[in-house]
Amino acid sequence: MSAVETAGITKVNWLNKEGRPVMIAGPCSVETEEQMIQTAVRLKATGKVDILRGGIWKPRTRPGMFEGIGAKGLPWMQKAKELTGLPITVEVAKASHVELALEFGVDVLWVGARTTVNPFSVQEVADALRGVDIPVLVKNPINPDLALWLGGIERLQKVGIDKIGGIHRGFSNASEKVFRNRPQWQLAIDFKTAMPELPLINDPSHICGRRDLLSSVAQKAMDLDFDGLMIESHITPDEAWSDAKQQITPEVYGELISRLNIRKHGLAAEEKTKLDQLRKDIDLIDEELIHVLSSRMKVAREIGQYKKDHNLTILQSDRWMEVLAKFVEKANNNHLSEEFITKVIKAIHDESISQQEDIING
Ligand code: PEP
Ligand code: MN
């Protein structure tokens, strides 16, 4: 029985046998035996954990930071497993990590974001796993590159690992102000589209980098039908040796999970009828959208022809700024966010320019 009750059944896969989201929690880093055991016991007491996590080898940004307790921490995790009866998971980045983790009865492995970016490392992990039957979760690479993420998974599939899942932990972005790693939810949805049979879990801790945003990100992940969550928890978060700002006590974790609204995935008959009706409306609007876009491009091509005939530049900056400003103003009056409308009009403008280029160069 999974730790989390839901109003209905969600989809079933190897991770999520009962169709309920799987909850993974534990410290960013395993620090001491006492810290690991206490965290594990208190997490177990919340009744909201399915798998215990612990970082044994830590990929840190700069040398001199705490780089993990190393193999010494594995017997502590093993003890936590025995005491709680919960399976354990650790991050592996090289063949030697895999060998040690297997030796100490680790139940699930995960590949970290800094490893997924490097095909040499993922291949080394995969080669060490040839012929081994163990589930592996693969975090997204630090940069928003879906192919690299899928490539990491394929390397594991090729050596025969058949229980694989993804972990969405957000993407590094220099301009990001709110999150530690920007979620870029669409990319996670693209992952599900590319590998629909694979479970995908969300890691609010590394997305947020701070405690106050964790529950809203966790809720969003549940609303997007993720198969589970991985959340960092520590008995004394402020004193944690790594990621202190984002860790929460086991009790706060328990509260956070209890407050999640885990919605149904499947639809009852009358819900399906109502949704089908609304979806028909959407389909009609989508058709109109295509028609409107196509008409707009037709006019853009006529303008392109005029510019060609009169030897005018394609981009007329003043005009573009006028169009952009008009869209932003209208967005504000129509319940559309400025960010969204800016993206849309920029994409449309981009396409107009390339269609005009075809005319001018054609
Ligand atoms: C972690 O889970 O502690 C970790 C190092 O995360 P990421 O690989 O997402 O940075
Ligand atoms: Mn961490």
Side-chain angles (χ1 to χ4, degrees):
M1 185 67 184
S2 163
V4 173
E5 300 297 330
T6 62
I9 296 298
T10 62
K11 64 183 179 286
V12 172
N13 51 51
W14 69 261
L15 178 66
N16 211 333
K17 291 202 181 72
E18 295 161 23
R20 297 172 203 288
V22 167
M23 299 301 170
I24 305 176
C28 174
S29 298
V30 175
E31 298 164 3
T32 65
E33 181 168 359
E34 168 78 4
Q35 170 250 8
M36 184 63 220
I37 301 293
Q38 283 302 317
T39 308
V41 168
R42 282 167 52 182
L43 278 171
K44 170 76 181 178
T46 67
K48 303 284 176 199
V49 184
D50 299 296
I51 304 175
L52 280 175
R53 67 155 275 159
I56 291 286
W57 300 281
K58 301 303 299 178
R60 304 311 299 280
T61 306
R62 302 188 69 175
M65 297 166 99
F66 174 59
E67 296 200 321
I69 203 74
K72 189 173 143 189
L74 286 168
W76 308 338
M77 285 205 73
Q78 208 168 25
K79 195 163 164 190
K81 170 177 167 172
E82 280 160 22
L83 283 171
T84 60
L86 293 170
I88 53 175
T89 181
V90 303
E91 172 176 350
V92 291
K94 345 192 252 193
S96 59
H97 297 165
V98 171
E99 281 147 25
L100 282 159
L102 294 175
E103 195 181 314
F104 284 89
V106 172
D107 302 278
V108 177
L109 305 176
W110 92 79
V111 172
R114 289 170 184 77
T115 305
T116 311
V117 285
N118 185 344
F120 285 139
S121 303
V122 180
Q123 194 56 50
E124 182 181 327
V125 168
D127 288 338
L129 283 168
R130 205 177 288 276
V132 180
D133 180 20
I134 191 168
V136 186
L137 299 169
V138 180
K139 287 203 174 194
N140 65 254
I142 324 179
N143 55 321
D145 184 340
L146 178 64
L148 196 53
W149 193 3
L150 300 179
I153 285 166
E154 285 158 358
R155 285 177 196 280
L156 291 160
Q157 284 172 333
K158 275 184 187 295
V159 298
I161 299 290
D162 58 358
K163 296 186 200 77
I164 306 186
I167 305 179
H168 167 231
R169 52 76 81 194
F171 303 89
S172 181
N173 188 306
S175 67
E176 176 58 53
K177 301 265 182 333
V178 177
F179 295 104
R180 177 175 175 195
N181 292 291
R182 186 176 284 178
Q184 300 195 211
W185 296 99
Q186 186 56 49
L187 218 142
I189 294 169
D190 291 345
F191 176 96
K192 282 167 176 275
T193 310
M195 297 204 163
E197 70 291 356
L198 259 54
L200 177 63
I201 71 168
N202 181 260
D203 172 349
S205 302
H206 292 89
I207 288 177
C208 298
R210 48 196 267 192
R211 292 170 199 144
D212 59 335
L213 301 175
L214 290 174
S215 64
S216 64
V217 167
Q219 183 61 56
K220 171 125 185 171
M222 291 297 95
D223 291 343
L224 292 179
D225 204 23
F226 276 65
D227 300 276
L229 298 171
M230 179 189 263
I231 294 184
E232 289 186 340
S233 174
H234 190 288
I235 41 168
T236 47
D238 288 333
E239 288 159 31
W241 300 358
S242 61
D243 290 352
K245 288 203 186 96
Q246 70 197 31
Q247 301 205 62
I248 50 178
T249 62
E251 294 70 30
V252 169
Y253 164 83
E255 280 285 299
L256 186 155
I257 303 296
S258 306
R259 280 199 307 267
L260 290 176
N261 183 359
I262 296 166
R263 298 183 165 92
K264 292 176 292 178
H265 170 80
L267 306 174
E270 81 268 22
E271 291 165 336
K272 185 155 171 21
T273 314
K274 177 69 188 159
L275 270 185
D276 279 351
Q277 199 180 319
L278 290 170
R279 282 172 175 160
K280 271 197 198 116
D281 293 349
I282 288 269
D283 287 346
L284 284 177
I285 296 171
D286 284 349
E287 254 177 61
E288 249 176 76
L289 258 180
I290 294 282
H291 180 72
V292 167
L293 285 172
S294 150
S295 312
R296 192 187 193 282
M297 290 307 155
K298 189 163 165 266
V299 179
R301 286 196 299 273
E302 277 171 33
I303 295 179
Q305 188 60 49
Y306 187 86
K307 286 174 180 166
K308 181 179 184 176
D309 296 344
H310 293 81
N311 210 22
L312 298 168
T313 57
I314 293 184
L315 180 67
Q316 302 277 321
S317 293
D318 293 355
R319 166 69 183 152
W320 163 234
M321 278 157 68
E322 218 180 89
V323 171
L324 186 59
K326 187 181 66 186
F327 264 80
V328 168
E329 190 199 321
K330 292 213 189 272
N332 291 333
N333 299 333
N334 283 284
H335 299 288
L336 297 167
S337 81
E338 221 171 284
E339 191 194 350
F340 165 70
I341 213 69
T342 306
K343 258 193 241 160
V344 170
I345 187 60
K346 278 189 178 166
I348 292 175
H349 186 240
D350 214 37
E351 176 66 12
S352 292
I353 288 183
S354 76
Q355 295 225 8
Q356 292 190 359
E357 272 167 350
D358 287 348
I359 301 265
I360 288 183
N361 303 323

